[in-house]
Amino acid sequence: MIAVVRILARRLALLVPLLLGIVLFVFLVMRFSDVDPASAFFQGANPTPQQLHDFRERNGLLDPLPVRYADFVGDLLHGDLGTSALTRAPVADQVATALPLTLQLTFLGLGVAVVLALAGGVTAAVYRDRLPDQVIRVVSLTGVAAPSFWLALLMIQYLAVDRGWFPAGGYVNPADSFTGWLRTMALPALALSLPVAAQLTRVVRTAVVEELDKDYVRTAIGSGLPPRVVVGRNVLRNALVNPLTVLGLRVGYLLGGAVVIETIFSLPGMGKLMIDAVQNGDPAVVQGVVLTTATGFVVVNLVIDVLYLLVNPRLREAA
């Protein structure tokens, strides 16, 4: 336990400069972009040069870059992501409204991907080089090659439009109707998770096969323990180390893929918020969404690191 706390403290110490680096990168990209916050604020109003100058002076846009960065970091520490140029509303409020849906979609897709990968990977490993393994291999390779947006369009056409089993878009709050929420989130979560599940299936299959070939497995089965008990209690725990590492990297794919999936299914999440902000020239909202998404990715990978420590005793001993 002490080793886990020690490693976790080191990860947290590295988290601070990493987040500051992300903030600096986003700050520089937005400052050197072609989008002018003053022009975006007066969009459609034909402001005079003096009005533009006054706006830039009032909002510190004429200050030196280091001063603007320090002010930007200070605002972030107080939870201030800026103000939308179009709605004049705080960006933090818009992010707080859209973020829950994106988290629902991301973690629902993550859960589906993990379940499918474990079921497919373990089955393929247990029946390696036999028919189930061959079928799962073909299906997983097809899933890896299929982009999530293409799967989303196919699902809308065949499962929503042609058969009417699911709605083609829209969102129902789970507080209003849990069944309605499941129906509206089922196709987006599946489209988002299937490519990740296909990749993880191959990783799980390889890890479980390597574990099944070890001496302790043959000894346990030879002593009379049922194979399902050996696989469930020992093999899976030891084999999940590598898949956990891959899973942490795939969370970034899920967060990024949610941007496209939310747009396709008209879900009012972070993806749709950012797409609308890019189309309407609202740099503060784009900046807020990117910062929030990047921070979420870093935090999720920290959680994956902790899980990695819990299932890998060798790392704890090394600490």
Coordinates of all heavy atoms in Angstrom, one line a residue, residues 173-269:
N173 N -32.7 12.8 -21.3 CA -32.0 12.8 -20.0 C -32.4 11.6 -19.2 O -33.6 11.2 -19.1 CB -32.4 14.1 -19.2 CG -31.5 14.3 -18.0 OD1 -31.3 13.5 -17.2 ND2 -30.9 15.5 -18.0
P174 N -31.4 10.9 -18.6 CA -31.7 9.7 -17.8 C -32.6 9.9 -16.6 O -33.4 9.0 -16.2 CB -30.4 9.1 -17.4 CG -29.4 10.3 -17.5 CD -30.0 11.1 -18.6
A175 N -32.6 11.2 -16.1 CA -33.5 11.5 -15.0 C -35.0 11.5 -15.5 O -35.9 11.3 -14.7 CB -33.1 12.9 -14.4
D176 N -35.2 11.8 -16.8 CA -36.6 11.8 -17.3 C -37.0 10.4 -17.7 O -38.2 10.0 -17.4 CB -36.6 12.8 -18.5 CG -36.3 14.2 -18.1 OD1 -36.6 14.6 -17.0 OD2 -35.8 14.9 -19.0
S177 N -36.2 9.7 -18.4 CA -36.5 8.3 -18.8 C -35.2 7.5 -19.0 O -34.5 7.8 -20.0 CB -37.3 8.4 -20.1 OG -37.5 7.1 -20.6
F178 N -35.0 6.6 -18.1 CA -33.7 5.8 -18.2 C -33.8 4.9 -19.5 O -32.8 4.8 -20.2 CB -33.6 4.9 -17.0 CG -32.3 4.1 -17.0 CD1 -31.1 4.7 -16.8 CD2 -32.3 2.8 -17.3 CE1 -29.9 4.0 -16.8 CE2 -31.1 2.0 -17.3 CZ -29.9 2.7 -17.1
T179 N -35.0 4.4 -19.8 CA -35.1 3.6 -21.0 C -34.9 4.4 -22.3 O -34.2 4.0 -23.2 CB -36.5 2.9 -21.1 OG1 -36.7 2.2 -19.9 CG2 -36.7 2.0 -22.3
G180 N -35.5 5.6 -22.3 CA -35.2 6.5 -23.4 C -33.8 6.9 -23.5 O -33.3 7.0 -24.6
W181 N -33.1 7.1 -22.4 CA -31.7 7.4 -22.4 C -30.9 6.3 -23.0 O -30.0 6.5 -23.9 CB -31.2 7.7 -21.0 CG -29.7 7.9 -20.9 CD1 -29.0 9.1 -21.2 CD2 -28.7 7.0 -20.4 NE1 -27.7 8.9 -21.0 CE2 -27.5 7.6 -20.5 CE3 -28.8 5.7 -20.0 CZ2 -26.3 7.0 -20.1 CZ3 -27.6 5.0 -19.6 CH2 -26.4 5.7 -19.7
L182 N -31.2 5.1 -22.6 CA -30.5 3.9 -23.2 C -30.7 3.8 -24.7 O -29.8 3.5 -25.5 CB -31.0 2.6 -22.5 CG -30.3 2.2 -21.2 CD1 -30.9 1.0 -20.7 CD2 -28.8 2.1 -21.3
R183 N -31.9 4.1 -25.2 CA -32.2 4.0 -26.6 C -31.5 5.0 -27.4 O -31.0 4.8 -28.5 CB -33.7 4.1 -26.8 CG -34.5 2.9 -26.3 CD -36.0 2.9 -26.7 NE -36.1 2.6 -28.1 CZ -36.6 3.4 -29.1 NH1 -36.9 4.7 -28.8 NH2 -36.7 3.0 -30.3
T184 N -31.4 6.2 -26.8 CA -30.7 7.3 -27.6 C -29.2 7.1 -27.5 O -28.5 7.6 -28.4 CB -31.1 8.7 -27.0 OG1 -30.8 8.7 -25.6 CG2 -32.5 9.0 -27.3
M185 N -28.7 6.5 -26.5 CA -27.2 6.3 -26.3 C -26.7 5.0 -26.9 O -25.5 4.9 -27.0 CB -26.8 6.4 -24.9 CG -27.1 7.8 -24.2 SD -26.2 9.1 -24.9 CE -24.6 8.8 -24.2
A186 N -27.5 4.1 -27.2 CA -27.1 2.7 -27.6 C -26.3 2.8 -28.9 O -25.1 2.3 -29.0 CB -28.3 1.8 -27.8
L187 N -26.8 3.4 -30.0 CA -26.1 3.4 -31.2 C -24.8 4.3 -31.2 O -23.8 3.9 -31.7 CB -27.0 4.0 -32.3 CG -28.2 3.1 -32.7 CD1 -28.9 3.6 -33.9 CD2 -27.7 1.6 -33.0
P188 N -24.9 5.5 -30.6 CA -23.6 6.2 -30.4 C -22.5 5.5 -29.7 O -21.3 5.5 -30.1 CB -24.0 7.5 -29.7 CG -25.5 7.7 -30.0 CD -26.0 6.3 -30.1
A189 N -22.9 4.8 -28.5 CA -21.9 4.1 -27.8 C -21.4 2.9 -28.5 O -20.2 2.6 -28.5 CB -22.6 3.6 -26.5
L190 N -22.2 2.2 -29.3 CA -21.7 1.1 -30.1 C -20.8 1.5 -31.2 O -19.7 0.9 -31.4 CB -22.9 0.3 -30.7 CG -23.6 -0.8 -29.8 CD1 -24.8 -1.3 -30.5 CD2 -22.6 -1.9 -29.5
A191 N -21.2 2.6 -31.9 CA -20.3 3.1 -33.0 C -19.0 3.5 -32.5 O -18.0 3.4 -33.1 CB -21.0 4.2 -33.7
L192 N -19.0 4.1 -31.3 CA -17.7 4.6 -30.7 C -16.9 3.5 -30.2 O -15.6 3.6 -30.2 CB -18.1 5.6 -29.6 CG -16.9 6.4 -28.9 CD1 -16.3 7.3 -29.9 CD2 -17.5 7.2 -27.7
S193 N -17.5 2.5 -29.6 CA -16.8 1.4 -28.9 C -16.3 0.3 -29.8 O -15.3 -0.4 -29.4 CB -17.6 0.8 -27.8 OG -18.7 0.2 -28.3
L194 N -16.9 0.0 -30.9 CA -16.6 -1.2 -31.7 C -15.1 -1.2 -32.2 O -14.4 -2.2 -32.1 CB -17.6 -1.4 -32.8 CG -19.0 -1.9 -32.4 CD1 -19.9 -2.0 -33.6 CD2 -18.9 -3.2 -31.6
P195 N -14.6 -0.1 -32.7 CA -13.2 -0.1 -33.2 C -12.2 -0.4 -32.0 O -11.3 -1.1 -32.1 CB -13.0 1.2 -33.8 CG -14.3 1.7 -34.2 CD -15.3 1.1 -33.2
V196 N -12.6 0.2 -30.8 CA -11.7 0.0 -29.7 C -11.8 -1.4 -29.2 O -10.8 -2.0 -28.8 CB -12.1 1.0 -28.5 CG1 -11.3 0.8 -27.3 CG2 -11.9 2.5 -29.0
A197 N -13.0 -1.9 -29.1 CA -13.2 -3.3 -28.7 C -12.5 -4.3 -29.6 O -11.9 -5.3 -29.1 CB -14.7 -3.7 -28.7
A198 N -12.5 -4.0 -30.9 CA -11.7 -4.9 -31.9 C -10.2 -4.9 -31.6 O -9.6 -5.9 -31.6 CB -12.0 -4.4 -33.3
Q199 N -9.7 -3.7 -31.3 CA -8.2 -3.6 -31.0 C -7.9 -4.3 -29.7 O -6.9 -5.0 -29.6 CB -7.8 -2.1 -31.0 CG -7.9 -1.4 -32.3 CD -7.7 0.0 -32.2 OE1 -7.4 0.6 -31.1 NE2 -7.8 0.7 -33.3
L200 N -8.7 -4.0 -28.7 CA -8.5 -4.6 -27.4 C -8.6 -6.2 -27.4 O -8.0 -6.9 -26.7 CB -9.4 -4.1 -26.3 CG -9.1 -2.7 -25.8 CD1 -10.2 -2.2 -24.8 CD2 -7.7 -2.7 -25.1
T201 N -9.5 -6.7 -28.2 CA -9.7 -8.1 -28.3 C -8.4 -8.8 -28.8 O -8.1 -9.8 -28.2 CB -10.8 -8.4 -29.4 OG1 -12.1 -7.9 -28.9 CG2 -11.0 -9.9 -29.5
R202 N -7.7 -8.2 -29.7 CA -6.5 -8.8 -30.2 C -5.4 -8.8 -29.0 O -4.7 -9.7 -28.8 CB -5.9 -8.1 -31.4 CG -6.9 -8.0 -32.6 CD -7.4 -9.4 -33.0 NE -6.3 -10.3 -33.3 CZ -6.5 -11.6 -33.2 NH1 -7.6 -12.2 -32.9 NH2 -5.4 -12.4 -33.5
V203 N -5.4 -7.7 -28.3 CA -4.4 -7.6 -27.2 C -4.8 -8.5 -26.1 O -3.9 -9.2 -25.5 CB -4.4 -6.1 -26.7 CG1 -3.5 -6.0 -25.5 CG2 -4.0 -5.1 -27.7
V204 N -6.0 -8.7 -25.7 CA -6.4 -9.6 -24.7 C -6.2 -11.0 -25.1 O -5.7 -11.8 -24.3 CB -7.9 -9.4 -24.3 CG1 -8.4 -10.5 -23.4 CG2 -8.2 -8.1 -23.7
R205 N -6.5 -11.3 -26.3 CA -6.2 -12.7 -26.8 C -4.8 -13.1 -26.7 O -4.4 -14.2 -26.2 CB -6.7 -12.8 -28.3 CG -6.7 -14.2 -28.8 CD -5.6 -14.4 -29.8 NE -5.7 -15.7 -30.4 CZ -4.6 -16.4 -30.9 NH1 -3.4 -15.9 -30.8 NH2 -4.8 -17.6 -31.4
T206 N -3.9 -12.2 -27.2 CA -2.4 -12.4 -27.1 C -2.0 -12.6 -25.7 O -1.2 -13.5 -25.3 CB -1.7 -11.3 -27.8 OG1 -2.1 -11.2 -29.2 CG2 -0.2 -11.6 -27.7
A207 N -2.4 -11.7 -24.8 CA -2.0 -11.8 -23.4 C -2.5 -13.1 -22.7 O -1.7 -13.7 -21.9 CB -2.5 -10.5 -22.6
V208 N -3.7 -13.5 -22.9 CA -4.2 -14.7 -22.3 C -3.5 -15.9 -22.9 O -3.3 -16.9 -22.1 CB -5.8 -14.7 -22.5 CG1 -6.3 -16.1 -22.0 CG2 -6.5 -13.6 -21.8
V209 N -3.3 -15.9 -24.2 CA -2.5 -17.1 -24.7 C -1.2 -17.2 -24.1 O -0.7 -18.4 -23.7 CB -2.4 -16.9 -26.3 CG1 -1.3 -17.9 -26.8 CG2 -3.7 -17.2 -26.9
E210 N -0.5 -16.1 -23.9 CA 0.9 -16.2 -23.3 C 0.8 -16.7 -21.9 O 1.6 -17.5 -21.4 CB 1.5 -14.8 -23.3 CG 1.9 -14.3 -24.7 CD 2.5 -12.9 -24.7 OE1 2.5 -12.3 -23.6 OE2 3.0 -12.5 -25.7
E211 N -0.3 -16.3 -21.2 CA -0.5 -16.7 -19.8 C -0.9 -18.2 -19.7 O -0.4 -18.9 -18.8 CB -1.5 -15.9 -19.1 CG -1.4 -15.8 -17.6 CD -0.1 -15.1 -17.2 OE1 0.4 -14.2 -17.9 OE2 0.3 -15.4 -16.0
L212 N -1.7 -18.7 -20.6 CA -2.1 -20.1 -20.6 C -1.0 -21.0 -20.9 O -1.1 -22.2 -20.5 CB -3.2 -20.3 -21.7 CG -4.6 -19.7 -21.4 CD1 -5.5 -19.8 -22.6 CD2 -5.2 -20.4 -20.2
D213 N 0.1 -20.6 -21.5 CA 1.2 -21.4 -21.8 C 2.2 -21.6 -20.7 O 3.2 -22.3 -20.8 CB 2.0 -20.9 -23.1 CG 1.2 -21.2 -24.3 OD1 0.3 -22.1 -24.3 OD2 1.4 -20.4 -25.3
K214 N 1.9 -20.9 -19.6 CA 2.9 -20.9 -18.4 C 2.7 -22.2 -17.6 O 1.6 -22.8 -17.6 CB 2.7 -19.6 -17.6 CG 3.2 -18.4 -18.3 CD 3.1 -17.2 -17.5 CE 3.7 -16.0 -18.2 NZ 3.6 -14.7 -17.4
D215 N 3.7 -22.5 -16.9 CA 3.7 -23.8 -16.1 C 2.6 -23.8 -15.0 O 2.0 -24.9 -14.8 CB 5.1 -24.1 -15.5 CG 6.1 -24.3 -16.6 OD1 5.8 -24.8 -17.7 OD2 7.3 -24.1 -16.3
Y216 N 2.4 -22.7 -14.4 CA 1.5 -22.7 -13.2 C 0.1 -23.1 -13.7 O -0.7 -23.7 -12.9 CB 1.5 -21.4 -12.4 CG 0.7 -20.3 -13.1 CD1 -0.6 -20.1 -12.7 CD2 1.3 -19.4 -13.9 CE1 -1.4 -19.1 -13.3 CE2 0.6 -18.4 -14.5 CZ -0.8 -18.2 -14.1 OH -1.5 -17.2 -14.7
V217 N -0.3 -22.7 -14.9 CA -1.6 -23.0 -15.4 C -1.8 -24.5 -15.7 O -2.8 -25.1 -15.3 CB -1.9 -22.2 -16.7 CG1 -3.2 -22.6 -17.3 CG2 -1.9 -20.7 -16.5
R218 N -0.8 -25.1 -16.3 CA -0.8 -26.5 -16.6 C -0.8 -27.3 -15.2 O -1.5 -28.3 -15.1 CB 0.4 -26.9 -17.4 CG 0.3 -26.5 -18.9 CD 1.4 -27.1 -19.7 NE 2.7 -26.6 -19.4 CZ 3.2 -25.6 -20.1 NH1 2.6 -25.0 -21.0 NH2 4.4 -25.2 -19.7
T219 N -0.1 -26.8 -14.3 CA 0.0 -27.5 -12.9 C -1.4 -27.4 -12.3 O -1.9 -28.4 -11.7 CB 1.0 -26.8 -12.0 OG1 2.3 -26.9 -12.7 CG2 1.1 -27.5 -10.7
A220 N -2.0 -26.2 -12.3 CA -3.3 -26.0 -11.7 C -4.4 -26.9 -12.3 O -5.2 -27.5 -11.6 CB -3.7 -24.5 -11.7
I221 N -4.4 -26.9 -13.7 CA -5.4 -27.7 -14.4 C -5.1 -29.2 -14.1 O -6.0 -30.0 -13.9 CB -5.4 -27.4 -15.9 CG1 -5.9 -26.0 -16.1 CG2 -6.3 -28.4 -16.6 CD1 -5.9 -25.5 -17.5
G222 N -3.8 -29.6 -14.1 CA -3.4 -31.0 -13.9 C -3.8 -31.5 -12.5 O -4.0 -32.7 -12.2
S223 N -3.9 -30.5 -11.5 CA -4.2 -30.9 -10.1 C -5.7 -31.1 -9.9 O -6.2 -31.4 -8.8 CB -3.7 -29.9 -9.2 OG -4.3 -28.6 -9.4
G224 N -6.5 -30.8 -11.0 CA -7.9 -31.0 -10.9 C -8.8 -29.8 -10.9 O -10.0 -29.9 -10.8
L225 N -8.2 -28.6 -10.9 CA -9.0 -27.4 -10.8 C -9.7 -27.2 -12.2 O -9.0 -27.4 -13.2 CB -8.1 -26.1 -10.6 CG -7.7 -25.9 -9.1 CD1 -6.7 -24.8 -9.0 CD2 -8.9 -25.7 -8.2
P226 N -10.9 -26.8 -12.2 CA -11.6 -26.6 -13.5 C -10.9 -25.4 -14.3 O -10.5 -24.4 -13.7 CB -13.0 -26.1 -13.1 CG -13.2 -26.7 -11.7 CD -11.8 -26.6 -11.1
P227 N -10.8 -25.6 -15.6 CA -10.2 -24.5 -16.4 C -10.8 -23.2 -16.2 O -10.1 -22.1 -16.2 CB -10.3 -25.1 -17.8 CG -10.4 -26.5 -17.7 CD -11.2 -26.8 -16.4
R228 N -12.1 -23.1 -16.1 CA -12.8 -21.8 -16.0 C -12.4 -21.1 -14.7 O -12.3 -19.9 -14.6 CB -14.3 -21.9 -16.0 CG -14.9 -22.7 -14.9 CD -16.5 -22.7 -15.1 NE -17.1 -23.4 -14.0 CZ -17.3 -24.7 -13.9 NH1 -16.8 -25.5 -14.9 NH2 -17.8 -25.3 -12.9
V229 N -12.1 -21.9 -13.6 CA -11.7 -21.3 -12.3 C -10.2 -20.8 -12.5 O -9.9 -19.7 -12.0 CB -11.7 -22.3 -11.2 CG1 -11.1 -21.8 -9.9 CG2 -13.2 -22.8 -11.0
V230 N -9.4 -21.5 -13.1 CA -8.0 -21.1 -13.3 C -7.9 -19.8 -14.2 O -7.2 -18.9 -13.8 CB -7.2 -22.2 -14.0 CG1 -5.7 -21.7 -14.2 CG2 -7.1 -23.5 -13.1
V231 N -8.7 -19.8 -15.2 CA -8.7 -18.6 -16.1 C -9.3 -17.4 -15.4 O -8.8 -16.3 -15.5 CB -9.6 -18.9 -17.4 CG1 -9.7 -17.6 -18.2 CG2 -8.9 -20.0 -18.2
G232 N -10.4 -17.6 -14.7 CA -11.1 -16.5 -14.0 C -10.3 -15.9 -12.8 O -10.2 -14.7 -12.6
R233 N -9.6 -16.8 -12.0 CA -8.9 -16.3 -10.8 C -7.5 -15.9 -11.1 O -7.0 -14.9 -10.5 CB -9.0 -17.4 -9.8 CG -10.3 -17.7 -9.2 CD -10.2 -18.7 -8.1 NE -11.5 -19.0 -7.4 CZ -11.7 -19.9 -6.5 NH1 -10.6 -20.7 -6.1 NH2 -12.9 -20.1 -6.0
N234 N -6.8 -16.6 -11.9 CA -5.4 -16.4 -12.1 C -5.0 -15.8 -13.4 O -4.3 -14.8 -13.5 CB -4.6 -17.7 -11.8 CG -4.9 -18.3 -10.5 OD1 -5.7 -19.2 -10.4 ND2 -4.4 -17.7 -9.4
V235 N -5.4 -16.5 -14.5 CA -5.0 -16.1 -15.8 C -5.4 -14.6 -16.2 O -4.6 -13.8 -16.6 CB -5.5 -17.1 -16.9 CG1 -5.2 -16.6 -18.3 CG2 -4.9 -18.4 -16.6
L236 N -6.7 -14.3 -15.9 CA -7.2 -13.0 -16.3 C -6.4 -11.9 -15.6 O -6.1 -10.9 -16.2 CB -8.7 -12.9 -16.0 CG -9.6 -13.2 -17.2 CD1 -11.0 -13.0 -16.9 CD2 -9.2 -12.3 -18.4
R237 N -6.2 -12.1 -14.3 CA -5.6 -11.0 -13.5 C -4.2 -10.8 -14.0 O -3.8 -9.6 -14.1 CB -5.6 -11.4 -12.0 CG -4.9 -10.3 -11.1 CD -5.1 -10.6 -9.7 NE -4.4 -9.6 -8.9 CZ -4.5 -9.5 -7.6 NH1 -5.2 -10.4 -6.9 NH2 -3.9 -8.5 -6.9
N238 N -3.4 -11.8 -14.3 CA -2.1 -11.6 -14.7 C -2.0 -11.1 -16.2 O -1.1 -10.5 -16.6 CB -1.3 -13.0 -14.6 CG -1.1 -13.4 -13.2 OD1 -1.1 -12.6 -12.3 ND2 -1.1 -14.7 -13.0
A239 N -3.0 -11.5 -17.0 CA -3.0 -11.1 -18.4 C -3.5 -9.7 -18.6 O -3.4 -9.2 -19.8 CB -3.9 -12.1 -19.2
L240 N -4.2 -9.1 -17.7 CA -4.8 -7.8 -17.9 C -3.8 -6.6 -17.8 O -4.2 -5.5 -18.0 CB -5.9 -7.6 -16.9 CG -7.2 -8.3 -17.1 CD1 -8.2 -8.0 -16.1 CD2 -7.8 -8.0 -18.5
V241 N -2.5 -6.9 -17.5 CA -1.6 -5.8 -17.4 C -1.4 -5.1 -18.7 O -1.5 -3.8 -18.8 CB -0.2 -6.3 -16.9 CG1 0.8 -5.2 -16.8 CG2 -0.4 -7.0 -15.5
N242 N -1.1 -5.8 -19.8 CA -0.9 -5.1 -21.1 C -2.2 -4.5 -21.6 O -2.1 -3.4 -22.1 CB -0.3 -6.1 -22.1 CG 1.2 -6.4 -21.8 OD1 1.9 -5.6 -21.1 ND2 1.6 -7.6 -22.2
P243 N -3.3 -5.2 -21.6 CA -4.5 -4.6 -22.1 C -4.9 -3.3 -21.3 O -5.4 -2.3 -21.9 CB -5.6 -5.6 -21.8 CG -4.8 -6.9 -21.9 CD -3.5 -6.6 -21.3
L244 N -4.5 -3.2 -20.0 CA -4.8 -1.9 -19.3 C -4.0 -0.8 -19.9 O -4.5 0.4 -20.0 CB -4.5 -2.1 -17.8 CG -5.6 -2.5 -16.9 CD1 -5.1 -2.7 -15.5 CD2 -6.8 -1.6 -16.9
T245 N -2.8 -1.0 -20.2 CA -1.9 0.0 -20.8 C -2.5 0.5 -22.2 O -2.6 1.7 -22.4 CB -0.5 -0.5 -21.1 OG1 0.0 -1.0 -19.9 CG2 0.4 0.6 -21.6
V246 N -3.0 -0.4 -23.0 CA -3.6 -0.1 -24.3 C -4.9 0.7 -24.0 O -5.2 1.6 -24.7 CB -3.8 -1.3 -25.1 CG1 -4.5 -1.0 -26.4 CG2 -2.5 -2.0 -25.4
L247 N -5.6 0.2 -23.0 CA -6.9 0.8 -22.7 C -6.7 2.3 -22.4 O -7.6 3.2 -22.8 CB -7.6 0.1 -21.6 CG -9.0 0.6 -21.2 CD1 -10.0 0.4 -22.3 CD2 -9.5 -0.1 -19.9
G248 N -5.7 2.6 -21.6 CA -5.4 4.0 -21.3 C -5.2 4.9 -22.5 O -5.7 6.0 -22.6
L249 N -4.5 4.4 -23.5 CA -4.3 5.1 -24.7 C -5.6 5.2 -25.5 O -5.8 6.2 -26.2 CB -3.2 4.4 -25.6 CG -1.8 4.3 -24.9 CD1 -0.9 3.5 -25.8 CD2 -1.2 5.7 -24.6
R250 N -6.4 4.2 -25.5 CA -7.7 4.2 -26.3 C -8.7 5.2 -25.7 O -9.6 5.6 -26.4 CB -8.3 2.8 -26.3 CG -7.5 1.8 -27.1 CD -7.4 2.2 -28.6 NE -6.2 3.0 -28.9 CZ -6.1 3.7 -30.0 NH1 -7.0 3.6 -30.9 NH2 -5.0 4.4 -30.2
V251 N -8.6 5.6 -24.4 CA -9.5 6.6 -23.9 C -9.4 7.9 -24.6 O -10.4 8.5 -24.9 CB -9.2 6.8 -22.4 CG1 -10.0 8.0 -21.8 CG2 -9.5 5.5 -21.6
G252 N -8.2 8.3 -25.1 CA -8.0 9.4 -25.9 C -8.8 9.3 -27.2 O -9.4 10.3 -27.7
Y253 N -8.8 8.1 -27.8 CA -9.5 7.9 -29.0 C -11.0 8.1 -28.8 O -11.7 8.6 -29.6 CB -9.2 6.5 -29.6 CG -10.1 6.1 -30.7 CD1 -9.8 6.4 -32.0 CD2 -11.3 5.4 -30.5 CE1 -10.7 6.0 -33.1 CE2 -12.1 5.0 -31.5 CZ -11.8 5.3 -32.8 OH -12.6 4.9 -33.8
L254 N -11.5 7.5 -27.6 CA -12.9 7.6 -27.3 C -13.3 9.1 -27.1 O -14.4 9.5 -27.6 CB -13.2 6.8 -26.1 CG -13.1 5.3 -26.2 CD1 -13.3 4.6 -24.9 CD2 -14.2 4.8 -27.2
L255 N -12.5 9.9 -26.4 CA -12.8 11.3 -26.2 C -12.8 12.0 -27.6 O -13.7 12.9 -27.8 CB -11.8 11.9 -25.3 CG -12.0 11.5 -23.8 CD1 -10.8 12.0 -23.0 CD2 -13.3 12.1 -23.2
G256 N -11.8 11.8 -28.4 CA -11.8 12.4 -29.7 C -12.9 12.0 -30.6 O -13.5 12.8 -31.4
G257 N -13.2 10.6 -30.6 CA -14.2 10.1 -31.5 C -15.6 10.6 -31.1 O -16.5 10.7 -31.9
A258 N -15.8 11.0 -29.8 CA -17.1 11.5 -29.3 C -17.4 12.8 -30.0 O -18.6 13.1 -30.2 CB -17.0 11.7 -27.8
V259 N -16.4 13.6 -30.4 CA -16.7 14.8 -31.1 C -17.5 14.5 -32.4 O -18.5 15.2 -32.7 CB -15.4 15.5 -31.5 CG1 -15.6 16.8 -32.4 CG2 -14.6 15.9 -30.2
V260 N -17.0 13.6 -33.2 CA -17.7 13.2 -34.5 C -19.0 12.6 -34.2 O -20.0 12.9 -34.8 CB -16.8 12.4 -35.3 CG1 -17.5 12.0 -36.6 CG2 -15.5 13.1 -35.6
I261 N -19.0 11.6 -33.3 CA -20.3 10.8 -33.0 C -21.4 11.7 -32.5 O -22.5 11.6 -32.9 CB -20.0 9.7 -32.0 CG1 -19.0 8.7 -32.6 CG2 -21.2 9.0 -31.6 CD1 -19.4 8.0 -33.9
E262 N -21.1 12.7 -31.6 CA -22.1 13.6 -31.1 C -22.7 14.4 -32.2 O -23.9 14.7 -32.2 CB -21.5 14.5 -30.0 CG -21.2 13.8 -28.7 CD -20.5 14.6 -27.7 OE1 -20.2 15.8 -28.0 OE2 -20.2 14.1 -26.6
T263 N -21.8 14.8 -33.2 CA -22.3 15.6 -34.3 C -23.3 14.8 -35.2 O -24.3 15.3 -35.6 CB -21.1 16.2 -35.1 OG1 -20.3 16.9 -34.3 CG2 -21.6 17.1 -36.2
I264 N -22.9 13.5 -35.4 CA -23.7 12.7 -36.3 C -25.1 12.4 -35.7 O -26.1 12.4 -36.3 CB -23.0 11.4 -36.6 CG1 -21.7 11.6 -37.4 CG2 -23.9 10.3 -37.3 CD1 -20.9 10.4 -37.7
F265 N -25.1 12.2 -34.4 CA -26.3 11.8 -33.7 C -27.0 13.0 -33.0 O -28.0 12.8 -32.3 CB -26.1 10.7 -32.6 CG -25.8 9.4 -33.2 CD1 -24.5 8.9 -33.4 CD2 -26.8 8.5 -33.5 CE1 -24.2 7.7 -33.9 CE2 -26.6 7.3 -34.1 CZ -25.3 6.8 -34.3
S266 N -26.5 14.2 -33.3 CA -27.1 15.4 -32.8 C -27.2 15.4 -31.2 O -28.3 15.7 -30.7 CB -28.5 15.7 -33.4 OG -28.5 15.8 -34.8
L267 N -26.1 15.0 -30.6 CA -26.1 14.9 -29.1 C -25.5 16.2 -28.6 O -24.4 16.6 -29.1 CB -25.3 13.7 -28.7 CG -25.8 12.4 -29.0 CD1 -24.8 11.3 -28.6 CD2 -27.2 12.1 -28.4
P268 N -26.1 16.9 -27.7 CA -25.6 18.2 -27.2 C -24.4 18.1 -26.2 O -24.5 18.6 -25.1 CB -26.8 18.9 -26.6 CG -27.6 17.7 -26.1 CD -27.4 16.6 -27.1
G269 N -23.3 17.5 -26.7 CA -22.2 17.3 -25.8 C -21.0 18.2 -26.2 O -21.2 19.2 -26.9

